[in-house]
Amino acid sequence: MPVRSSVAVLAALLAVGGCKAGDQDGKGAGGGGSDPSRPAAAGSALAAVSSLTVKGRAPKTGYERGEFGSAWVDTDDNGCGTRDDILKRDLTDVKFRDGHCLVASGTLNDEPYTGRDVRFVRGHSKVDIDHVVALSDAWQKGAQKWDRDKRLEFANDPLNLIAVDASANRRKGDGDTATWLPPNKAYRCDYVARQVAVKKAYGLWVTGAEKSAMKRVLGGCPSTKLPAR
């Protein structure tokens, strides 16, 4: 086959199979996976990143878990604590200890941070309820100025809560997008989109490095919607 014909065939194959906008890690063709000259789609998490205020991280001075109220209170008045509400939402094959509130067991299928299935058994749990935007991170980016009621709402908001593998959650600590991402790359776009949604909803700021990291990840999946409550 002539050289020119071979080049043409190769170019056609690349056009069909090799030009994806980016992968779930935000590392695609062109470095970010989206055309920087085109505005992000309305309603997308990528578009919402631009609305976040950039400031430096404030000192952690004064932070305690108790500043966000008692853990897992019943803020929606349904008779169940927030932890059990999230377990009921995120687990499958749920069994209750008391009929409708206390989750005794269940399975977290395709766990977000690792992609594995994790079994939940009350009292011997390998499942945590994670604040996607950590309370400590929120404290350093605006929450220390809130009143107690707003901090209690934030700590129990289902938008900011997901059931996850306990060991992965420990490794995350209070990291933001710039310092920690889920090992499960398939979940990174959804994870960052949720962080953006929470910070936008509560008026929390981000650091410059954090905002850049959000844009990098979401640039690989520019159509990802901003999660809603």
Side-chain angles (χ1 to χ4, degrees), residues 89-141:
R89 185 194 70 186
D90 292 355
L91 301 182
T92 61
D93 301 321
V94 173
K95 292 181 173 55
F96 297 96
R97 178 177 292 178
D98 66 346
H100 74 286
C101 263
L102 295 179
V103 175
S105 64
T107 301
L108 182 58
N109 293 316
D110 194 20
E111 184 276 326
Y113 290 172
T114 66
R116 300 191 298 263
D117 292 348
V118 182
R119 182 69 178 161
F120 171 82
V121 178
R122 199 176 196 93
H124 306 279
S125 179
K126 296 181 180 180
V127 174
D128 279 354
I129 304 302
D130 183 36
H131 291 95
V132 177
V133 174
L135 302 185
S136 172
D137 182 62
W139 180 262
Q140 296 171 78
K141 296 171 183 175

Side-chain angles (χ1 to χ4, degrees), residues 104-203:
S105 64
T107 301
L108 182 58
N109 293 316
D110 194 20
E111 184 276 326
Y113 290 172
T114 66
R116 300 191 298 263
D117 292 348
V118 182
R119 182 69 178 161
F120 171 82
V121 178
R122 199 176 196 93
H124 306 279
S125 179
K126 296 181 180 180
V127 174
D128 279 354
I129 304 302
D130 183 36
H131 291 95
V132 177
V133 174
L135 302 185
S136 172
D137 182 62
W139 180 262
Q140 296 171 78
K141 296 171 183 175
Q144 60 183 280
K145 302 295 186 182
W146 298 347
D147 61 31
R148 190 65 170 259
D149 288 345
K150 186 172 180 178
R151 288 199 290 265
L152 183 67
E153 176 191 355
F154 179 83
N156 292 276
D157 189 339
L159 179 65
N160 192 33
L161 297 171
I162 55 173
V164 298
D165 174 77
S167 59
N169 189 37
R170 303 294 194 280
R171 289 192 292 272
K172 172 191 172 181
D174 64 355
D176 60 22
T177 301
T179 59
W180 189 88
L181 289 170
N184 179 19
K185 292 184 178 182
Y187 186 69
R188 288 183 178 179
C189 287
D190 289 336
Y191 173 78
V192 175
R194 189 167 292 272
Q195 284 205 337
V196 173
V198 171
K199 295 207 166 185
K200 181 178 174 63
Y202 283 89

Side-chain angles (χ1 to χ4, degrees), residues 205-227:
W205 68 74
V206 294
T207 65
E210 183 180 4
K211 191 169 190 175
S212 294
M214 287 173 165
K215 287 184 175 180
R216 174 178 60 79
V217 173
L218 293 173
C221 45
S223 62
T224 299
K225 296 294 185 181
L226 193 69

